[in-house]
Amino acid sequence: MKEILIATSNKGKAKDFEALFTPHGIRVLTLQDVDRTIDVEETGITFEENAILKAETVARLLGKTVIADDSGLEIAALDGRPGVYSARYAGADKSDEANIEKVLSELQGVPEGERTARFRCVLAVAGPAMTTETVSGSCEGTIHPERKGENGFGYDPIFYVPSKGKTMAELTPDEKNAISHRGAALKKLEKKLPDIIQKR
């Protein structure tokens, strides 16, 4: 069976890719399935750079076709921050609560109409004898001044989705997947599947 490796140790994240590739007879692996520790330092200044860096590094080390993603939150009033630093915005310990607190603090006094934000996700596909390709997806919203909802993770409790009238953390998993930045990127990846599979 052909294989594709997702450059993550998060089995939950891999499920989205399994739904895409398994019907095509391709087995999805994660970094938990390989017999070595791989830690790629994300030194890029854009989501694209980091996704490509991860995908190409892991593909070179393992000789497999690899998909890597980089994603985060961009806030217009903060000049696009936290951006690529979303996971560690308040410090290296990657605390969701501390990150949210820092964002809310920095947006104090910013009027509702100027709190626009977007979640962005970039997927990079790399492998032996293939040119690295990327796809991206986004989800538009605003930053809510208070936390709402118990679902999701990261900035979901303060990311308000006007079309739903709820924060991301108030949506069910199915509702979130239907509009999420990763879901949008996966839909674009699906259109490239025949080309990717052919190069496997």
Side-chain angles (χ1 to χ4, degrees):
M1 191 183 217
K2 292 178 177 179
E3 296 177 339
I4 197 158
L5 188 135
I6 313 303
T8 181
S9 296
N10 184 329
K11 284 285 189 184
K13 190 183 284 189
K15 286 190 189 314
D16 292 337
F17 293 95
E18 285 173 357
L20 201 57
F21 286 102
T22 303
H24 297 277
I26 296 177
R27 182 177 172 223
V28 172
L29 304 174
T30 70
L31 292 175
Q32 288 188 333
D33 298 310
V34 300
D35 193 25
R36 62 188 292 181
T37 301
I38 300 174
D39 188 16
V40 182
E41 190 176 354
E42 297 177 19
T43 55
I45 60 171
T46 65
F47 296 125
E48 287 84 358
E49 287 179 7
N50 280 332
I52 290 169
L53 181 65
K54 283 189 277 189
E56 290 184 346
T57 301
V58 177
R60 187 173 62 251
L61 289 172
L62 299 178
K64 294 181 181 294
T65 301
V66 173
I67 297 176
D69 85 310
D70 197 35
S71 55
L73 177 68
E74 297 176 329
I75 301 171
L78 301 181
D79 298 321
R81 297 192 311 274
V84 294
Y85 305 106
S86 292
R88 53 191 186 280
Y89 195 44
D93 60 348
K94 297 185 177 182
S95 162
D96 287 350
E97 274 304 305
N99 289 337
I100 287 174
E101 201 57 52
K102 182 173 181 179
V103 163
L104 292 179
S105 172
E106 290 183 336
L107 287 176
Q108 273 190 343
V110 177
E112 184 180 341
E114 296 174 21
R115 298 170 73 96
T116 56
R118 70 163 57 95
F119 274 128
R120 279 197 68 223
C121 172
V122 176
L123 300 175
V125 187
M130 72 174 283
T131 303
T132 302
E133 295 192 49
T134 63
V135 293
S136 65
S138 63
C139 177
E140 305 293 328
T142 63
I143 301 302
H144 199 278
E146 298 173 3
R147 297 167 179 78
K148 281 191 161 190
E150 302 295 328
N151 300 327
F153 59 93
Y155 298 94
D156 287 357
I158 59 169
F159 189 86
Y160 181 78
V161 185
S163 63
K164 295 291 184 182
K166 298 176 180 179
T167 67
M168 202 71 105
E170 293 178 290
L171 301 177
T172 66
D174 284 346
E175 286 175 324
K176 178 180 174 179
N177 288 340
I179 64 163
S180 77
H181 49 311
R182 183 169 289 107
L186 279 166
K187 286 189 181 84
K188 291 182 182 176
L189 182 67
E190 187 172 16
K191 291 179 182 175
K192 290 180 176 282
L193 269 187
D195 193 39
I196 294 169
I197 292 168
Q198 190 177 1
K199 291 173 181 175
R200 288 291 303 104

